[in-house]
């Protein structure tokens, strides 16, 4: 099987000959309301590709082999039924109708950073939006229109040229849609909330192929769901309108502390995070060094000129002098590149999971530090990355959007870089051990850091029943695939 494009079929006799050679008794077209029980044949795929602006990539082609790859190399062996490179909302609608006709699961893909490989799952029809990725700014109302395939660096560079931006995560190749649908944590979350808090409108396609617009005043239930409900649930978002803010220069500080001060660092950082100016953000990295030792460091981001004062107030809250400290000021886009490690990111293998913490008493701090230390004593490397869930993120009520973590202190991302397939077993064994150590102290997990085998309810807290009801209403056959079962 190979690449099938609409252009090839409009080009002439070669395509016509291929179609004739592959003719079957199955009708090339069927009513959208008729469900055909058998999987689509190559002839069915060809008929479908004729209607599309983007390419339809099938197993057996070089293009398919590369297009199906995700950021995480762990899933290189995945075998989706097809990768459809959509170029328009109409392409998404046609794809949904085709998938419904043949009972195919649809896996949305924006950046391809799914932690569980959902956007390349075996047997699914992947709708890859990375060729549907424009970003534009409307100076009249200060909004940005971002199509679902745009990566974060594209969003930042396009808007920064107009002196504007939106709050996002830092990895440059993460898809804006995937990040936003799960909420969207980043270095400006304390000042502006999660990425989805800046949404004013979305365009979407329902699993039955209907196109809708949703906002606070139109299809408000869908608008609620897409702000934190996660990708691949309820609806396929094709475009997003965001309220932007000024893209100002940033101050960045880095503090390293003696590992013996770990408990004081975590508890002091927690106190600071609850009371610091919203414009001040800092996270903590606790790293297993693989030799029995750990390192404890903090990265902070502020408005330019405030970095030393912010660091000083944080150090005062911790009550321990750092063993090393550095400070810098960067223009906005330079700060984006510095924090993201450049304008792109290489594919890599990794294992990850998350917990959500209400508070940080010394006992909880000890559990986090103990989990990382256990990994190091076992000869492994890994990190606990603690991001604040405070500041402006706390202003909306927990039930106001599908993102539920409005009354909590921090997320903990357990992260291990994995260099070979044999490394995943020990990595996930450690992550599961860390979950067990925090049992009773964790409220759940962050949906953008999905883990296989975890119940969906873990990611939505009190919003789970409403999201389940909406999914039943809009996707009763579970056409969309997210990796979560509910």
């Amino acid at each position: 099987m190979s690449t099938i494009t609409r252009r090839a079929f409009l080009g002439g006799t070669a395509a016509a000959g291929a179609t004739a050679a592959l003719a079957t008794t199955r009708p090339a077209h069927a009513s959208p309301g008729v469900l055909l029980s058998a999987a689509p044949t190559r002839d069915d795929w060809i008929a479908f590709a004729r209607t599309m602006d983007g390419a339809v990539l099938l197993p057996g082609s070089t293009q398919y082999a590369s297009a199906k790859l995700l950021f995480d190399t762990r899933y290189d062996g995945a075998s989706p039924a097809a990768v459809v490179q959509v170029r328009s909302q109409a392409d998404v609608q046609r794809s949904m109708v085709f998938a419904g006709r043949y009972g195919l699961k649809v896996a949305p893909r924006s950046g391809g950073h799914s932690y569980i490989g959902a956007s390349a799952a075996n047997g699914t029809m992947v709708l890859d939006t990375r060729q549907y990725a424009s970003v534009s700014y409307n100076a009249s109302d200060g909004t940005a229109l971002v199509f679902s395939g745009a990566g974060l660096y594209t969003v930042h560079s396009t808007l920064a040229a107009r002196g504007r931006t939106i709050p996002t995560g830092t990895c440059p190749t993460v898809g804006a849609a995937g990040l936003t649908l799960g909420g969207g944590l980043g270095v400006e979350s304390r000042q502006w909330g999660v990425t989805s808090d800046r949404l004013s409108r979305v365009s979407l396609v329902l699993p039955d192929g209907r196109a809708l617009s949703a906002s606070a005043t139109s299809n408000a239930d869908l608008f609620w769901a897409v702000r934190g409900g996660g990708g691949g649930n309820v609806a396929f978002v094709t475009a997003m309108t965001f309220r932007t803010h000024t893209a100002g220069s940033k101050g960045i500080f880095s503090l390293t502390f003696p590992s013996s001060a770990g408990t004081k660092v975590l508890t002091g950082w927690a106190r600071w995070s609850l009371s610091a100016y919203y414009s001040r953000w800092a996270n903590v990295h606790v790293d297993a060094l693989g030799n029995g030792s750990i390192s404890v460091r903090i990265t902070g981001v502020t408005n330019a000129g405030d970095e030393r004062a912010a660091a000083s107030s944080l150090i005062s809250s911790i009550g321990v002098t750092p063993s090393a400290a550095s400070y810098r000021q960067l223009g906005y886009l330079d700060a984006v590149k510095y924090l993201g490690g450049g304008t792109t990111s290489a594919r890599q293998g990794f294992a990850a999971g998350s917990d959500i913490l209400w508070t940080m008493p010394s006992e909880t701090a000890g559990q986090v530090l103990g989990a990382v230390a256990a990994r190091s004593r076992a000869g492994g490397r890994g990190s606990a990355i603690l991001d604040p869930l405070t500041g402006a993120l706390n202003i909306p009520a927990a039930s106001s959007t599908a993102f539920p973590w409005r009354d909590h202190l921090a997320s903990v991302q357990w992260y291990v870089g994995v260099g070979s397939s044999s490394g995943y077993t020990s990595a996930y064994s450690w992550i599961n051990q860390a979950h067990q150590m925090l049992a009773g102290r964790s409220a759940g997990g962050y949906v953008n850091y999905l883990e296989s085998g975890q119940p969906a309810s873990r990611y939505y807290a009190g919003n789970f029943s409403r999201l389940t009801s909406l999914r039943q209403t809009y996707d009763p056959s579970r056409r969309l695939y997210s990796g979560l079962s509910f």
Side-chain angles (χ1 to χ4, degrees):
M1 290 185 154
S2 60
T3 305
I4 307 174
T5 66
R6 180 173 181 269
R7 177 176 295 177
F9 285 97
L10 296 177
T13 58
T19 303
L22 291 165
T24 70
T25 58
R26 181 187 304 280
H29 298 281
S31 167
V34 177
L35 176 63
L36 303 179
S37 58
T41 66
R42 180 178 171 81
D43 195 43
D44 297 324
W45 285 111
I46 288 173
F48 166 60
R50 285 173 172 164
T51 70
M52 298 290 286
D53 296 319
V56 178
L57 311 177
L58 300 177
S61 72
T62 301
Q63 297 94 325
Y64 168 91
S66 59
K68 74 184 180 72
L69 298 179
L70 302 182
F71 181 79
D72 189 346
T73 57
R74 181 184 188 187
Y75 303 106
D76 285 2
S79 299
V83 178
V84 180
Q85 296 176 325
V86 299
R87 291 180 175 271
S88 64
Q89 180 165 276
D91 270 359
V92 177
Q93 291 181 266
R94 297 180 191 111
S95 298
M96 287 294 190
V97 171
F98 181 82
R101 184 181 302 146
Y102 294 103
L104 293 169
K105 296 286 187 182
V106 173
R109 179 190 295 172
S110 52
H113 283 250
S114 169
Y115 277 33
I116 60 170
S119 50
N122 293 336
T124 62
M125 179 181 180
V126 174
L127 298 194
D128 189 331
T129 63
R130 286 176 289 186
Q131 295 183 14
Y132 184 46
S134 68
V135 179
S136 60
Y137 175 67
N138 186 340
S140 66
D141 62 4
T143 62
L145 178 63
V146 178
F147 287 95
S148 57
L152 296 188
Y153 184 74
T154 299
V155 172
H156 286 301
S157 59
T158 302
L159 296 181
R162 306 296 297 271
R164 308 297 292 179
T165 193
I166 59 174
T168 74
T170 54
C171 182
T173 57
V174 162
L179 175 82
T180 303
L181 291 172
L185 296 175
V187 300
E188 292 190 310
S189 293
R190 295 194 73 255
Q191 187 167 12
W192 298 104
V194 290
T195 310
S196 60
D197 288 341
R198 303 299 294 174
L199 278 175
S200 60
R201 181 174 295 275
V202 295
S203 297
L204 50 83
V205 175
L206 296 180
D208 63 9
R210 286 179 293 158
L212 297 174
S213 177
S215 68
T217 57
S218 176
N219 296 307
D221 54 347
L222 289 167
F223 191 57
W224 178 90
V226 301
R227 290 177 293 159
N233 296 319
V234 182
F236 191 114
V237 170
T238 57
M240 303 162 288
T241 301
F242 294 94
R243 301 183 303 276
T244 66
H245 62 269
T246 300
S249 297
K250 294 297 182 183
I252 299 172
F253 63 86
S254 178
L255 308 173
T256 302
F257 292 88
S259 59
S260 59
T263 297
K264 287 186 176 181
V265 171
L266 291 182
T267 56
W269 167 80
R271 287 191 297 271
W272 179 87
S273 182
L274 289 168
S275 60
Y277 297 135
Y278 284 9
S279 59
R280 294 174 172 178
W281 176 95
N283 75 349
V284 184
H285 286 243
V286 183
D287 302 315
L289 304 181
N291 59 2
S293 300
I294 66 172
S295 69
V296 181
R297 54 194 173 92
I298 291 177
T299 298
V301 181
T302 72
N303 294 331
D306 184 46
E307 62 277 3
R308 290 183 181 272
S312 178
S313 68
L314 177 52
I315 293 167
S316 177
S317 182
I318 291 170
V320 176
T321 301
S323 55
S326 65
Y327 305 88
R328 70 190 71 221
Q329 292 183 21
L330 297 171
Y332 182 79
L333 197 56
D334 285 336
V336 167
K337 289 185 280 189
Y338 174 79
L339 294 166
T343 62
T344 189
S345 48
R347 296 176 64 240
Q348 57 192 262
F350 68 92
S354 65
D355 281 288
I356 301 294
L357 302 180
W358 284 287
T359 58
M360 185 67 73
S362 58
E363 294 81 5
T364 300
Q367 296 286 12
V368 173
L369 295 164
V372 179
R375 174 69 175 171
S376 187
R377 287 194 300 271
R381 290 180 173 268
S383 300
I385 306 169
L386 289 86
D387 289 321
L389 296 174
T390 57
L393 190 153
N394 295 154
I395 293 174
S399 61
S400 64
T401 70
F403 182 82
W405 310 122
R406 303 291 187 175
D407 303 312
H408 299 77
L409 171 72
S411 69
V412 184
Q413 181 178 189
W414 309 100
Y415 186 93
V416 179
V418 179
S420 65
S421 58
S422 61
Y424 287 102
T425 299
S426 67
Y428 279 111
S429 176
W430 172 62
I431 292 169
N432 289 331
Q433 179 186 9
H435 289 321
Q436 292 168 12
M437 292 178 72
L438 284 177
R441 304 182 189 277
S442 173
Y446 176 37
V447 73
N448 279 349
Y449 302 156
L450 277 182
E451 296 169 71
S452 297
Q454 296 287 340
S457 57
R458 186 171 186 266
Y459 299 101
Y460 301 112
N463 293 333
F464 180 61
S465 61
R466 181 178 180 185
L467 191 64
T468 300
S469 176
L470 288 172
R471 195 176 192 196
Q472 180 61 37
T473 297
Y474 290 103
D475 190 13
S477 64
R478 300 299 190 265
R479 179 74 51 230
L480 289 170
Y481 179 80
S482 68
L484 288 174
S485 298
F486 68 98

